Amino acid sequence: QKEVEQNSGPLSVPEGAIASLNCTYSDRGSQSFFWYRQYSGKSPELIMSIYSNGDKEDGRFTAQLNKASQYVSLLIRDSQPSDSATYLCAVIVDSSYKLIFGSGTRLLVRP
Amino acid sequence: DVKVTQSSRYLVKRTGEKVFLECVQDMDHENMFWYRQDPGLGLRLIYFSYDVKMKEKGDIPEGYSVSREKKERFSLILESASTNQTSMYLCASSDTRGNTIYFGEGSWLTVV
């Protein structure tokens, strides 16, 4: 089992809709969770970090964490074509600084 | 403005050559990482370092080594490049708590 799993997509949503991206992880001891956005040919950029159960909102983005289910998600409200990118879920595992990424979900926002 | 700099953006090397990829950060971060990214496989951790002269293997260390002689610099070494090491290589750094990880712009390596 991979340590961090994401559906590769593509996830296609119309402009203005809510995009929901999901991620599961295998290490129950994980404490830190991140969402990165990566445009084609560019390096990843951090969107959100979340450390405790529940929701964390930042503008149009909401990260949700459920440690019991080992599940973290990212909601993008009012999706824009400029949100079209690959979204990477990342987890710090083993109580160390080892940051492990999922393979990413490609999001396509249709005008 | 925080910065992680990968000096070589595009390289073409021959099979068997020794390759050095250099990464420098100006944030006084303790942790530094090397990943490679391939289509459909996401970012895979090669090595990371949590202090000068300290290193730990990631998920795919075979065929690679690293060097961290100074805090700001973390080098990835391919002792004998092979075609299956053609990839994009990403360097990253973070503070002690690992809460914010910054990436360099990536180094595209082609081994022919």
Side-chain angles (χ1 to χ4, degrees), chain A residues 2 5 34 46 51 57 59 63-64 69 73 76 81 88 93-94 99-100 103 107:
Chain A
K2 292 174 74 172
E5 297 213 44
F34 307 89
L46 181 67
Y51 309 104
E57 188 173 318
Q64 300 174 317
S69 300
S73 65
I76 306 174
L88 300 163
V93 300
D94 298 330
L99 181 67
I100 300 298
S103 55
L107 174 66

Side-chain angles (χ1 to χ4, degrees), chain A:
Chain A
Q1 182 190 1
K2 292 174 74 172
E3 291 181 273
V4 181
E5 297 213 44
Q6 296 179 255
N7 188 318
S8 61
L11 172 66
S12 181
V13 300
E15 185 174 354
I18 295 175
S20 177
L21 304 159
N22 304 314
C23 173
T24 58
Y25 60 94
S26 60
D27 180 9
R28 283 198 170 274
S30 299
Q31 297 295 324
S32 302
F33 307 87
F34 307 89
W35 282 100
Y36 284 80
R37 176 176 62 200
Q38 186 176 27
Y39 293 111
S40 180
K42 302 292 186 181
S43 59
E45 54 180 325
L46 181 67
I47 300 174
M48 297 277 292
S49 57
I50 187 166
Y51 309 104
S52 54
N53 280 329
D55 295 0
K56 179 181 177 183
E57 188 173 318
D58 184 1
R60 295 188 295 112
F61 299 98
T62 299
Q64 300 174 317
L65 175 61
N66 183 325
K67 290 185 180 179
S69 300
Q70 295 175 241
Y71 176 93
V72 59
S73 65
L74 179 70
L75 300 179
I76 306 174
R77 289 182 299 282
D78 187 24
S79 295
Q80 301 297 309
S82 59
D83 294 326
S84 298
T86 296
Y87 289 80
L88 300 163
C89 173
V91 177
I92 293 183
V93 300
D94 298 330
S95 300
S96 70
Y97 309 115
K98 187 175 170 184
L99 181 67
I100 300 298
F101 284 82
S103 55
T105 298
R106 187 165 153 246
L107 174 66
L108 178 63
V109 181
R110 308 187 305 272

Side-chain angles (χ1 to χ4, degrees), chain B residues 35-107:
Chain B
Y35 293 88
R36 64 176 282 178
Q37 187 171 30
D38 303 286
L41 296 177
L43 276 79
R44 292 181 290 166
L45 182 62
I46 304 171
Y47 269 96
F48 70 105
S49 168
Y50 52 90
D51 202 351
V52 176
K53 297 189 185 294
M54 306 302 288
K55 61 185 179 185
E56 288 207 20
K57 294 179 180 179
D59 296 321
I60 52 164
E62 296 79 17
Y64 303 95
S65 61
V66 291
S67 171
R68 192 158 181 211
E69 296 297 318
K70 294 185 178 181
K71 190 176 185 180
E72 67 271 18
R73 188 180 297 269
F74 192 37
S75 302
L76 180 69
I77 303 154
L78 288 66
E79 294 288 343
S80 177
S82 63
T83 54
N84 63 12
Q85 292 178 310
T86 292
S87 186
M88 183 172 80
Y89 291 87
L90 283 161
C91 175
S93 73
S94 72
D95 60 19
T96 303
R97 296 177 61 201
N99 290 337
T100 305
I101 293 93
Y102 296 93
F103 281 89
E105 292 187 321
S107 297

